[in-house]
């Protein structure tokens, strides 16, 4: 090889591909459950090799290394397409991908070692790459709609990449130099192809990384807002969401219900803290199941839970509280010899929306229920 300065300059394209791949690996290290990032990162890193090597080859060397370099191209594109399919909850058809790769490599072998035709090799490779890009189309376009950040933009970006892969076939056929004396990797056409590939790759990577960054923010916000043991809202998040809902929907027709598990200290003292934690988790799951979409459920600490319920009047709120009390009595928890009971304090939110005052009143009523014998609901007696 006698590479020129221009050929060294175009190595910036594989360098960018390598950097994008490493950035996705870093993001995966923060969100280990997002395996799609590893597949897409692998695609970018694999593509670095043929992009680097091809840019330094002449036409004769391109023919000699055609099958191996093309296998790397197709492996990289397959890995990226598989990662995109996973991002949308789908999977690549492995048999279809294997058939496309085998057929493409077979044609490339023929047009490099039997009948050396550079433009045919380029066309065959790009048709194979376009077919690989198209394989996850069903999962991306017609699969379930995942609740992920920037999902629509990622879907649109995939359509752009697929359109580019198809259009590139015809552009190559129309613009590729036919003169065998012209060195492909020293032509303006090659620079144009690399520039287009870099723009598409960077755009797709930015959308994926932005989506991943928002996912990280969501996870961190969830960790900040949730009780680590029960996964219910914590005190801070409860007040934030409650005040937001009352601002949006009005402060009237809300009830505050405080629930406190009876004799919980006895469970910890006699059966151990593991049994106590299990009881808290089971009660939390029950409260979450019984709550409606517009209700809020939070753990305020220890064995105390607070619910903000949408209720038009006190009798309706009492029915909801009694239903929770009865469901809790029917709950059976492995490792606990007896059924759990709980005491409840219930009050309606006043028209001025003073949530702190309502919680304080419900807490006072809760202690009245405790002193009256537990396993009951206490409410304001007009």
């Amino acid at each position: 090889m006698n590479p020129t300065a221009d050929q060294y300059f175009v190595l910036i394209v594989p360098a960018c591909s390598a950097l994008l791949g490493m950035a996705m690996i870093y993001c995966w290290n923060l969100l280990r459950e997002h395996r799609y990032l590893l597949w897409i990162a692998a695609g970018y890193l694999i593509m670095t090799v043929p992009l680097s090597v091809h840019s330094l080859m002449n036409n004769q060397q391109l023919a000699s290394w055609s099958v191996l370099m093309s296998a790397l191209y197709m492996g990289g594109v397959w890995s990226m397409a598989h990662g995109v399919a996973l991002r949308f909850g789908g999977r690549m058809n492995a048999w279809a991908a294997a058939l496309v790769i085998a057929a493409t490599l077979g044609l490339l072998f023929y047009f490099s070692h039997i009948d050396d035709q550079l433009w045919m090799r380029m066309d065959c490779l790009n048709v194979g790459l376009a077919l690989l890009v198209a394989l996850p189309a069903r999962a991306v376009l017609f699969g379930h709609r995942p609740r992920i950040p920037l999902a629509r933009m990622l879907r649109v970006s995939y359509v752009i990449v697929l359109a580019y892969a198809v259009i590139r076939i015809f552009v190559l056929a129309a613009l590729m130099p036919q003169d065998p004396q012209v060195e492909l990797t020293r032509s303006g056409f090659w620079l144009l192809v690399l520039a287009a590939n870099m723009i598409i790759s960077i755009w797709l990577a930015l959308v994926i990384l932005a989506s991943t960054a928002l996912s990280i923010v969501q996870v961190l916000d969830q960790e900040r807002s949730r009780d680590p043991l029960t996964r219910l809202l914590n005190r801070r998040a409860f007040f934030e969401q409650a005040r937001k809902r009352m601002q949006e929907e009005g402060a009237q027709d809300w009830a505050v219900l405080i629930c406190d598990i009876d004799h919980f200290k006895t469970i910890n003292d006699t059966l151990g803290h593991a049994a106590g934690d299990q009881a808290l988790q089971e009660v939390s799951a029950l409260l979450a199941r019984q709550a409606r979409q517009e209700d809020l459920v939070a753990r305020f600490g220890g064995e105390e839970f607070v619910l903000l319920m949408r209720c038009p009047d006190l009798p309706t709120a009492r029915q909801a509280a009694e239903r929770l009390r009865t469901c809790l009595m029917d709950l059976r928890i492995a490792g606990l010899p007896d059924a759990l009971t709980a005491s409840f304090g219930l009050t309606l939110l006043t028209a001025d929306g003073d949530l702190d005052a309502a919680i304080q009143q419900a807490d006072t009523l809760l202690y009245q229920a405790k002193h009256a014998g537990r396993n009951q609901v206490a409410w304001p007696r007009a």
Side-chain angles (χ1 to χ4, degrees), residues 158-191:
Y158 168 78
V159 172
I160 292 173
V161 172
L162 178 58
Y164 167 72
V166 174
I167 293 172
R168 186 173 57 185
I169 298 171
F170 301 99
V171 172
L172 288 174
L175 300 181
M176 183 175 169
Q178 302 295 318
D179 187 352
Q181 301 301 317
V182 177
E183 295 291 345
L184 177 63
T185 58
R186 291 172 172 81
S187 66
F189 170 78
W190 181 253
L191 294 177

PDB file of all heavy atoms in Angstrom, residues 158-191:
ATOM      1  N   TYR A 158     -34.760   5.058  12.110  1.00  0.00           N
ATOM      2  CA  TYR A 158     -34.598   3.750  11.467  1.00  0.00           C
ATOM      3  C   TYR A 158     -35.114   3.796  10.029  1.00  0.00           C
ATOM      4  O   TYR A 158     -34.481   3.250   9.112  1.00  0.00           O
ATOM      5  CB  TYR A 158     -35.350   2.674  12.254  1.00  0.00           C
ATOM      6  CG  TYR A 158     -35.470   1.373  11.490  1.00  0.00           C
ATOM      7  CD1 TYR A 158     -34.398   0.492  11.410  1.00  0.00           C
ATOM      8  CD2 TYR A 158     -36.654   1.039  10.821  1.00  0.00           C
ATOM      9  CE1 TYR A 158     -34.495  -0.680  10.684  1.00  0.00           C
ATOM     10  CE2 TYR A 158     -36.758  -0.127  10.106  1.00  0.00           C
ATOM     11  CZ  TYR A 158     -35.669  -0.984  10.041  1.00  0.00           C
ATOM     12  OH  TYR A 158     -35.772  -2.145   9.314  1.00  0.00           O
ATOM     13  N   VAL A 159     -36.257   4.442   9.808  1.00  0.00           N
ATOM     14  CA  VAL A 159     -36.803   4.553   8.448  1.00  0.00           C
ATOM     15  C   VAL A 159     -35.826   5.308   7.552  1.00  0.00           C
ATOM     16  O   VAL A 159     -35.617   4.940   6.382  1.00  0.00           O
ATOM     17  CB  VAL A 159     -38.174   5.256   8.475  1.00  0.00           C
ATOM     18  CG1 VAL A 159     -38.660   5.540   7.062  1.00  0.00           C
ATOM     19  CG2 VAL A 159     -39.192   4.402   9.227  1.00  0.00           C
ATOM     20  N   ILE A 160     -35.197   6.353   8.079  1.00  0.00           N
ATOM     21  CA  ILE A 160     -34.215   7.112   7.298  1.00  0.00           C
ATOM     22  C   ILE A 160     -33.023   6.240   6.928  1.00  0.00           C
ATOM     23  O   ILE A 160     -32.546   6.245   5.779  1.00  0.00           O
ATOM     24  CB  ILE A 160     -33.758   8.355   8.097  1.00  0.00           C
ATOM     25  CG1 ILE A 160     -34.912   9.349   8.240  1.00  0.00           C
ATOM     26  CG2 ILE A 160     -32.565   9.021   7.415  1.00  0.00           C
ATOM     27  CD1 ILE A 160     -34.599  10.521   9.149  1.00  0.00           C
ATOM     28  N   VAL A 161     -32.528   5.461   7.899  1.00  0.00           N
ATOM     29  CA  VAL A 161     -31.394   4.575   7.626  1.00  0.00           C
ATOM     30  C   VAL A 161     -31.777   3.535   6.583  1.00  0.00           C
ATOM     31  O   VAL A 161     -30.995   3.237   5.657  1.00  0.00           O
ATOM     32  CB  VAL A 161     -30.924   3.898   8.928  1.00  0.00           C
ATOM     33  CG1 VAL A 161     -29.878   2.831   8.620  1.00  0.00           C
ATOM     34  CG2 VAL A 161     -30.353   4.927   9.888  1.00  0.00           C
ATOM     35  N   LEU A 162     -32.983   2.973   6.697  1.00  0.00           N
ATOM     36  CA  LEU A 162     -33.423   1.972   5.721  1.00  0.00           C
ATOM     37  C   LEU A 162     -33.551   2.597   4.331  1.00  0.00           C
ATOM     38  O   LEU A 162     -33.125   2.003   3.327  1.00  0.00           O
ATOM     39  CB  LEU A 162     -34.766   1.381   6.165  1.00  0.00           C
ATOM     40  CG  LEU A 162     -35.399   0.344   5.227  1.00  0.00           C
ATOM     41  CD1 LEU A 162     -34.454  -0.828   5.005  1.00  0.00           C
ATOM     42  CD2 LEU A 162     -36.724  -0.142   5.807  1.00  0.00           C
ATOM     43  N   ALA A 163     -34.137   3.796   4.266  1.00  0.00           N
ATOM     44  CA  ALA A 163     -34.265   4.480   2.971  1.00  0.00           C
ATOM     45  C   ALA A 163     -32.895   4.768   2.372  1.00  0.00           C
ATOM     46  O   ALA A 163     -32.675   4.596   1.160  1.00  0.00           O
ATOM     47  CB  ALA A 163     -35.070   5.763   3.144  1.00  0.00           C
ATOM     48  N   TYR A 164     -31.955   5.204   3.222  1.00  0.00           N
ATOM     49  CA  TYR A 164     -30.597   5.468   2.739  1.00  0.00           C
ATOM     50  C   TYR A 164     -29.949   4.198   2.198  1.00  0.00           C
ATOM     51  O   TYR A 164     -29.281   4.227   1.142  1.00  0.00           O
ATOM     52  CB  TYR A 164     -29.759   6.048   3.870  1.00  0.00           C
ATOM     53  CG  TYR A 164     -28.279   6.073   3.579  1.00  0.00           C
ATOM     54  CD1 TYR A 164     -27.746   6.976   2.662  1.00  0.00           C
ATOM     55  CD2 TYR A 164     -27.412   5.179   4.223  1.00  0.00           C
ATOM     56  CE1 TYR A 164     -26.381   6.988   2.383  1.00  0.00           C
ATOM     57  CE2 TYR A 164     -26.051   5.193   3.945  1.00  0.00           C
ATOM     58  CZ  TYR A 164     -25.546   6.097   3.030  1.00  0.00           C
ATOM     59  OH  TYR A 164     -24.205   6.099   2.757  1.00  0.00           O
ATOM     60  N   ALA A 165     -30.145   3.069   2.892  1.00  0.00           N
ATOM     61  CA  ALA A 165     -29.544   1.815   2.436  1.00  0.00           C
ATOM     62  C   ALA A 165     -30.087   1.401   1.073  1.00  0.00           C
ATOM     63  O   ALA A 165     -29.347   0.871   0.236  1.00  0.00           O
ATOM     64  CB  ALA A 165     -29.804   0.723   3.473  1.00  0.00           C
ATOM     65  N   VAL A 166     -31.373   1.642   0.842  1.00  0.00           N
ATOM     66  CA  VAL A 166     -31.969   1.284  -0.448  1.00  0.00           C
ATOM     67  C   VAL A 166     -31.532   2.258  -1.537  1.00  0.00           C
ATOM     68  O   VAL A 166     -31.132   1.852  -2.648  1.00  0.00           O
ATOM     69  CB  VAL A 166     -33.512   1.254  -0.330  1.00  0.00           C
ATOM     70  CG1 VAL A 166     -34.146   1.042  -1.696  1.00  0.00           C
ATOM     71  CG2 VAL A 166     -33.947   0.157   0.640  1.00  0.00           C
ATOM     72  N   ILE A 167     -31.596   3.546  -1.225  1.00  0.00           N
ATOM     73  CA  ILE A 167     -31.210   4.565  -2.229  1.00  0.00           C
ATOM     74  C   ILE A 167     -29.739   4.417  -2.615  1.00  0.00           C
ATOM     75  O   ILE A 167     -29.366   4.624  -3.780  1.00  0.00           O
ATOM     76  CB  ILE A 167     -31.494   5.972  -1.668  1.00  0.00           C
ATOM     77  CG1 ILE A 167     -33.005   6.176  -1.525  1.00  0.00           C
ATOM     78  CG2 ILE A 167     -30.901   7.048  -2.570  1.00  0.00           C
ATOM     79  CD1 ILE A 167     -33.387   7.455  -0.804  1.00  0.00           C
ATOM     80  N   ARG A 168     -28.913   4.028  -1.646  1.00  0.00           N
ATOM     81  CA  ARG A 168     -27.478   3.901  -1.926  1.00  0.00           C
ATOM     82  C   ARG A 168     -27.204   2.875  -3.018  1.00  0.00           C
ATOM     83  O   ARG A 168     -26.245   3.015  -3.789  1.00  0.00           O
ATOM     84  CB  ARG A 168     -26.743   3.513  -0.642  1.00  0.00           C
ATOM     85  CG  ARG A 168     -25.233   3.503  -0.769  1.00  0.00           C
ATOM     86  CD  ARG A 168     -24.577   3.279   0.570  1.00  0.00           C
ATOM     87  NE  ARG A 168     -25.032   2.039   1.185  1.00  0.00           N
ATOM     88  CZ  ARG A 168     -24.673   1.652   2.409  1.00  0.00           C
ATOM     89  NH1 ARG A 168     -23.893   2.437   3.129  1.00  0.00           N
ATOM     90  NH2 ARG A 168     -25.120   0.518   2.913  1.00  0.00           N
ATOM     91  N   ILE A 169     -28.041   1.851  -3.119  1.00  0.00           N
ATOM     92  CA  ILE A 169     -27.857   0.843  -4.174  1.00  0.00           C
ATOM     93  C   ILE A 169     -27.911   1.499  -5.545  1.00  0.00           C
ATOM     94  O   ILE A 169     -27.050   1.261  -6.415  1.00  0.00           O
ATOM     95  CB  ILE A 169     -28.938  -0.248  -4.059  1.00  0.00           C
ATOM     96  CG1 ILE A 169     -28.825  -0.972  -2.706  1.00  0.00           C
ATOM     97  CG2 ILE A 169     -28.816  -1.243  -5.208  1.00  0.00           C
ATOM     98  CD1 ILE A 169     -29.979  -1.903  -2.426  1.00  0.00           C
ATOM     99  N   PHE A 170     -28.912   2.341  -5.758  1.00  0.00           N
ATOM    100  CA  PHE A 170     -29.094   2.972  -7.066  1.00  0.00           C
ATOM    101  C   PHE A 170     -28.075   4.085  -7.292  1.00  0.00           C
ATOM    102  O   PHE A 170     -27.624   4.294  -8.419  1.00  0.00           O
ATOM    103  CB  PHE A 170     -30.520   3.507  -7.177  1.00  0.00           C
ATOM    104  CG  PHE A 170     -31.572   2.448  -7.011  1.00  0.00           C
ATOM    105  CD1 PHE A 170     -32.220   2.271  -5.793  1.00  0.00           C
ATOM    106  CD2 PHE A 170     -31.890   1.602  -8.049  1.00  0.00           C
ATOM    107  CE1 PHE A 170     -33.175   1.291  -5.631  1.00  0.00           C
ATOM    108  CE2 PHE A 170     -32.856   0.616  -7.903  1.00  0.00           C
ATOM    109  CZ  PHE A 170     -33.495   0.447  -6.694  1.00  0.00           C
ATOM    110  N   VAL A 171     -27.710   4.786  -6.222  1.00  0.00           N
ATOM    111  CA  VAL A 171     -26.696   5.829  -6.358  1.00  0.00           C
ATOM    112  C   VAL A 171     -25.357   5.215  -6.761  1.00  0.00           C
ATOM    113  O   VAL A 171     -24.634   5.744  -7.622  1.00  0.00           O
ATOM    114  CB  VAL A 171     -26.561   6.618  -5.046  1.00  0.00           C
ATOM    115  CG1 VAL A 171     -25.378   7.581  -5.101  1.00  0.00           C
ATOM    116  CG2 VAL A 171     -27.843   7.389  -4.762  1.00  0.00           C
ATOM    117  N   LEU A 172     -25.002   4.083  -6.146  1.00  0.00           N
ATOM    118  CA  LEU A 172     -23.758   3.410  -6.499  1.00  0.00           C
ATOM    119  C   LEU A 172     -23.762   2.971  -7.955  1.00  0.00           C
ATOM    120  O   LEU A 172     -22.767   3.122  -8.676  1.00  0.00           O
ATOM    121  CB  LEU A 172     -23.540   2.198  -5.587  1.00  0.00           C
ATOM    122  CG  LEU A 172     -23.148   2.488  -4.139  1.00  0.00           C
ATOM    123  CD1 LEU A 172     -23.122   1.214  -3.329  1.00  0.00           C
ATOM    124  CD2 LEU A 172     -21.793   3.172  -4.092  1.00  0.00           C
ATOM    125  N   ALA A 173     -24.883   2.427  -8.396  1.00  0.00           N
ATOM    126  CA  ALA A 173     -24.972   1.966  -9.778  1.00  0.00           C
ATOM    127  C   ALA A 173     -24.830   3.122 -10.759  1.00  0.00           C
ATOM    128  O   ALA A 173     -24.273   2.962 -11.851  1.00  0.00           O
ATOM    129  CB  ALA A 173     -26.294   1.250  -9.998  1.00  0.00           C
ATOM    130  N   ALA A 174     -25.310   4.303 -10.360  1.00  0.00           N
ATOM    131  CA  ALA A 174     -25.294   5.447 -11.273  1.00  0.00           C
ATOM    132  C   ALA A 174     -23.979   6.230 -11.236  1.00  0.00           C
ATOM    133  O   ALA A 174     -23.536   6.738 -12.271  1.00  0.00           O
ATOM    134  CB  ALA A 174     -26.460   6.376 -10.944  1.00  0.00           C
ATOM    135  N   LEU A 175     -23.363   6.330 -10.061  1.00  0.00           N
ATOM    136  CA  LEU A 175     -22.228   7.235  -9.909  1.00  0.00           C
ATOM    137  C   LEU A 175     -20.879   6.551  -9.758  1.00  0.00           C
ATOM    138  O   LEU A 175     -19.843   7.206  -9.880  1.00  0.00           O
ATOM    139  CB  LEU A 175     -22.450   8.132  -8.680  1.00  0.00           C
ATOM    140  CG  LEU A 175     -23.697   9.019  -8.704  1.00  0.00           C
ATOM    141  CD1 LEU A 175     -23.760   9.849  -7.432  1.00  0.00           C
ATOM    142  CD2 LEU A 175     -23.707   9.917  -9.928  1.00  0.00           C
ATOM    143  N   MET A 176     -20.861   5.266  -9.480  1.00  0.00           N
ATOM    144  CA  MET A 176     -19.589   4.608  -9.228  1.00  0.00           C
ATOM    145  C   MET A 176     -18.725   4.606 -10.484  1.00  0.00           C
ATOM    146  O   MET A 176     -19.198   4.285 -11.577  1.00  0.00           O
ATOM    147  CB  MET A 176     -19.825   3.172  -8.762  1.00  0.00           C
ATOM    148  CG  MET A 176     -18.539   2.446  -8.414  1.00  0.00           C
ATOM    149  SD  MET A 176     -18.854   0.818  -7.750  1.00  0.00           S
ATOM    150  CE  MET A 176     -17.205   0.136  -7.774  1.00  0.00           C
ATOM    151  N   PRO A 177     -17.432   4.945 -10.360  1.00  0.00           N
ATOM    152  CA  PRO A 177     -16.534   4.952 -11.530  1.00  0.00           C
ATOM    153  C   PRO A 177     -16.446   3.565 -12.158  1.00  0.00           C
ATOM    154  O   PRO A 177     -16.197   2.576 -11.464  1.00  0.00           O
ATOM    155  CB  PRO A 177     -15.184   5.376 -10.937  1.00  0.00           C
ATOM    156  CG  PRO A 177     -15.510   6.045  -9.649  1.00  0.00           C
ATOM    157  CD  PRO A 177     -16.746   5.388  -9.137  1.00  0.00           C
ATOM    158  N   GLN A 178     -16.669   3.479 -13.481  1.00  0.00           N
ATOM    159  CA  GLN A 178     -16.616   2.207 -14.193  1.00  0.00           C
ATOM    160  C   GLN A 178     -15.222   1.907 -14.740  1.00  0.00           C
ATOM    161  O   GLN A 178     -14.944   0.772 -15.123  1.00  0.00           O
ATOM    162  CB  GLN A 178     -17.634   2.230 -15.343  1.00  0.00           C
ATOM    163  CG  GLN A 178     -19.071   2.494 -14.906  1.00  0.00           C
ATOM    164  CD  GLN A 178     -19.622   1.385 -14.031  1.00  0.00           C
ATOM    165  OE1 GLN A 178     -19.409   0.205 -14.305  1.00  0.00           O
ATOM    166  NE2 GLN A 178     -20.319   1.759 -12.964  1.00  0.00           N
ATOM    167  N   ASP A 179     -14.370   2.899 -14.804  1.00  0.00           N
ATOM    168  CA  ASP A 179     -13.020   2.727 -15.339  1.00  0.00           C
ATOM    169  C   ASP A 179     -12.177   1.931 -14.361  1.00  0.00           C
ATOM    170  O   ASP A 179     -11.944   2.363 -13.228  1.00  0.00           O
ATOM    171  CB  ASP A 179     -12.383   4.103 -15.581  1.00  0.00           C
ATOM    172  CG  ASP A 179     -11.034   3.996 -16.290  1.00  0.00           C
ATOM    173  OD1 ASP A 179     -10.531   2.865 -16.454  1.00  0.00           O
ATOM    174  OD2 ASP A 179     -10.482   5.053 -16.661  1.00  0.00           O
ATOM    175  N   PRO A 180     -11.697   0.739 -14.733  1.00  0.00           N
ATOM    176  CA  PRO A 180     -10.905  -0.075 -13.806  1.00  0.00           C
ATOM    177  C   PRO A 180      -9.580   0.575 -13.428  1.00  0.00           C
ATOM    178  O   PRO A 180      -8.944   0.148 -12.465  1.00  0.00           O
ATOM    179  CB  PRO A 180     -10.684  -1.380 -14.578  1.00  0.00           C
ATOM    180  CG  PRO A 180     -10.864  -1.016 -16.020  1.00  0.00           C
ATOM    181  CD  PRO A 180     -11.870   0.090 -16.037  1.00  0.00           C
ATOM    182  N   GLN A 181      -9.154   1.612 -14.189  1.00  0.00           N
ATOM    183  CA  GLN A 181      -7.899   2.281 -13.870  1.00  0.00           C
ATOM    184  C   GLN A 181      -8.056   3.253 -12.701  1.00  0.00           C
ATOM    185  O   GLN A 181      -7.063   3.673 -12.094  1.00  0.00           O
ATOM    186  CB  GLN A 181      -7.394   3.048 -15.107  1.00  0.00           C
ATOM    187  CG  GLN A 181      -7.163   2.168 -16.333  1.00  0.00           C
ATOM    188  CD  GLN A 181      -6.152   1.064 -16.051  1.00  0.00           C
ATOM    189  OE1 GLN A 181      -5.125   1.297 -15.425  1.00  0.00           O
ATOM    190  NE2 GLN A 181      -6.446  -0.152 -16.528  1.00  0.00           N
ATOM    191  N   VAL A 182      -9.285   3.621 -12.392  1.00  0.00           N
ATOM    192  CA  VAL A 182      -9.531   4.563 -11.304  1.00  0.00           C
ATOM    193  C   VAL A 182      -9.526   3.819  -9.974  1.00  0.00           C
ATOM    194  O   VAL A 182     -10.251   2.840  -9.792  1.00  0.00           O
ATOM    195  CB  VAL A 182     -10.875   5.292 -11.504  1.00  0.00           C
ATOM    196  CG1 VAL A 182     -11.158   6.215 -10.316  1.00  0.00           C
ATOM    197  CG2 VAL A 182     -10.864   6.081 -12.802  1.00  0.00           C
ATOM    198  N   GLU A 183      -8.675   4.266  -9.072  1.00  0.00           N
ATOM    199  CA  GLU A 183      -8.628   3.655  -7.744  1.00  0.00           C
ATOM    200  C   GLU A 183      -9.846   4.120  -6.938  1.00  0.00           C
ATOM    201  O   GLU A 183     -10.005   5.327  -6.708  1.00  0.00           O
ATOM    202  CB  GLU A 183      -7.342   4.037  -7.019  1.00  0.00           C
ATOM    203  CG  GLU A 183      -6.079   3.503  -7.663  1.00  0.00           C
ATOM    204  CD  GLU A 183      -5.960   1.983  -7.551  1.00  0.00           C
ATOM    205  OE1 GLU A 183      -6.712   1.386  -6.737  1.00  0.00           O
ATOM    206  OE2 GLU A 183      -5.140   1.397  -8.268  1.00  0.00           O
ATOM    207  N   LEU A 184     -10.687   3.174  -6.552  1.00  0.00           N
ATOM    208  CA  LEU A 184     -11.948   3.515  -5.877  1.00  0.00           C
ATOM    209  C   LEU A 184     -11.711   4.336  -4.621  1.00  0.00           C
ATOM    210  O   LEU A 184     -12.372   5.351  -4.382  1.00  0.00           O
ATOM    211  CB  LEU A 184     -12.724   2.236  -5.544  1.00  0.00           C
ATOM    212  CG  LEU A 184     -14.026   2.436  -4.777  1.00  0.00           C
ATOM    213  CD1 LEU A 184     -15.019   3.247  -5.587  1.00  0.00           C
ATOM    214  CD2 LEU A 184     -14.627   1.094  -4.371  1.00  0.00           C
ATOM    215  N   THR A 185     -10.754   3.905  -3.779  1.00  0.00           N
ATOM    216  CA  THR A 185     -10.560   4.570  -2.491  1.00  0.00           C
ATOM    217  C   THR A 185      -9.845   5.911  -2.605  1.00  0.00           C
ATOM    218  O   THR A 185      -9.655   6.590  -1.595  1.00  0.00           O
ATOM    219  CB  THR A 185      -9.773   3.652  -1.535  1.00  0.00           C
ATOM    220  OG1 THR A 185      -8.511   3.320  -2.145  1.00  0.00           O
ATOM    221  CG2 THR A 185     -10.548   2.387  -1.230  1.00  0.00           C
ATOM    222  N   ARG A 186      -9.438   6.273  -3.825  1.00  0.00           N
ATOM    223  CA  ARG A 186      -8.832   7.582  -4.046  1.00  0.00           C
ATOM    224  C   ARG A 186      -9.765   8.514  -4.818  1.00  0.00           C
ATOM    225  O   ARG A 186      -9.359   9.596  -5.212  1.00  0.00           O
ATOM    226  CB  ARG A 186      -7.501   7.438  -4.790  1.00  0.00           C
ATOM    227  CG  ARG A 186      -6.403   6.783  -3.964  1.00  0.00           C
ATOM    228  CD  ARG A 186      -5.175   6.489  -4.828  1.00  0.00           C
ATOM    229  NE  ARG A 186      -4.039   6.048  -4.046  1.00  0.00           N
ATOM    230  CZ  ARG A 186      -3.857   4.819  -3.595  1.00  0.00           C
ATOM    231  NH1 ARG A 186      -4.785   3.907  -3.829  1.00  0.00           N
ATOM    232  NH2 ARG A 186      -2.788   4.492  -2.912  1.00  0.00           N
ATOM    233  N   SER A 187     -10.987   8.061  -5.018  1.00  0.00           N
ATOM    234  CA  SER A 187     -11.932   8.834  -5.815  1.00  0.00           C
ATOM    235  C   SER A 187     -12.808   9.713  -4.929  1.00  0.00           C
ATOM    236  O   SER A 187     -13.000   9.438  -3.737  1.00  0.00           O
ATOM    237  CB  SER A 187     -12.822   7.901  -6.642  1.00  0.00           C
ATOM    238  OG  SER A 187     -13.647   7.123  -5.796  1.00  0.00           O
ATOM    239  N   GLY A 188     -13.353  10.770  -5.533  1.00  0.00           N
ATOM    240  CA  GLY A 188     -14.303  11.612  -4.812  1.00  0.00           C
ATOM    241  C   GLY A 188     -15.555  10.856  -4.456  1.00  0.00           C
ATOM    242  O   GLY A 188     -16.209  11.148  -3.437  1.00  0.00           O
ATOM    243  N   PHE A 189     -15.899   9.853  -5.268  1.00  0.00           N
ATOM    244  CA  PHE A 189     -17.078   9.033  -4.988  1.00  0.00           C
ATOM    245  C   PHE A 189     -16.931   8.326  -3.642  1.00  0.00           C
ATOM    246  O   PHE A 189     -17.865   8.273  -2.843  1.00  0.00           O
ATOM    247  CB  PHE A 189     -17.261   8.012  -6.110  1.00  0.00           C
ATOM    248  CG  PHE A 189     -18.288   6.964  -5.817  1.00  0.00           C
ATOM    249  CD1 PHE A 189     -19.639   7.238  -5.931  1.00  0.00           C
ATOM    250  CD2 PHE A 189     -17.908   5.687  -5.403  1.00  0.00           C
ATOM    251  CE1 PHE A 189     -20.582   6.273  -5.649  1.00  0.00           C
ATOM    252  CE2 PHE A 189     -18.850   4.728  -5.118  1.00  0.00           C
ATOM    253  CZ  PHE A 189     -20.186   5.022  -5.245  1.00  0.00           C
ATOM    254  N   TRP A 190     -15.752   7.773  -3.370  1.00  0.00           N
ATOM    255  CA  TRP A 190     -15.516   7.077  -2.103  1.00  0.00           C
ATOM    256  C   TRP A 190     -15.642   8.034  -0.915  1.00  0.00           C
ATOM    257  O   TRP A 190     -16.217   7.699   0.124  1.00  0.00           O
ATOM    258  CB  TRP A 190     -14.133   6.433  -2.125  1.00  0.00           C
ATOM    259  CG  TRP A 190     -13.787   5.671  -0.876  1.00  0.00           C
ATOM    260  CD1 TRP A 190     -12.920   6.034   0.093  1.00  0.00           C
ATOM    261  CD2 TRP A 190     -14.321   4.414  -0.467  1.00  0.00           C
ATOM    262  NE1 TRP A 190     -12.860   5.095   1.085  1.00  0.00           N
ATOM    263  CE2 TRP A 190     -13.712   4.077   0.766  1.00  0.00           C
ATOM    264  CE3 TRP A 190     -15.241   3.535  -1.010  1.00  0.00           C
ATOM    265  CZ2 TRP A 190     -14.004   2.907   1.452  1.00  0.00           C
ATOM    266  CZ3 TRP A 190     -15.528   2.360  -0.335  1.00  0.00           C
ATOM    267  CH2 TRP A 190     -14.932   2.054   0.883  1.00  0.00           C
ATOM    268  N   LEU A 191     -15.115   9.238  -1.071  1.00  0.00           N
ATOM    269  CA  LEU A 191     -15.240  10.237  -0.010  1.00  0.00           C
ATOM    270  C   LEU A 191     -16.703  10.590   0.238  1.00  0.00           C
ATOM    271  O   LEU A 191     -17.125  10.786   1.384  1.00  0.00           O
ATOM    272  CB  LEU A 191     -14.447  11.491  -0.371  1.00  0.00           C
ATOM    273  CG  LEU A 191     -12.921  11.339  -0.448  1.00  0.00           C
ATOM    274  CD1 LEU A 191     -12.283  12.652  -0.899  1.00  0.00           C
ATOM    275  CD2 LEU A 191     -12.343  10.909   0.896  1.00  0.00           C
TER     276      LEU A 191
END
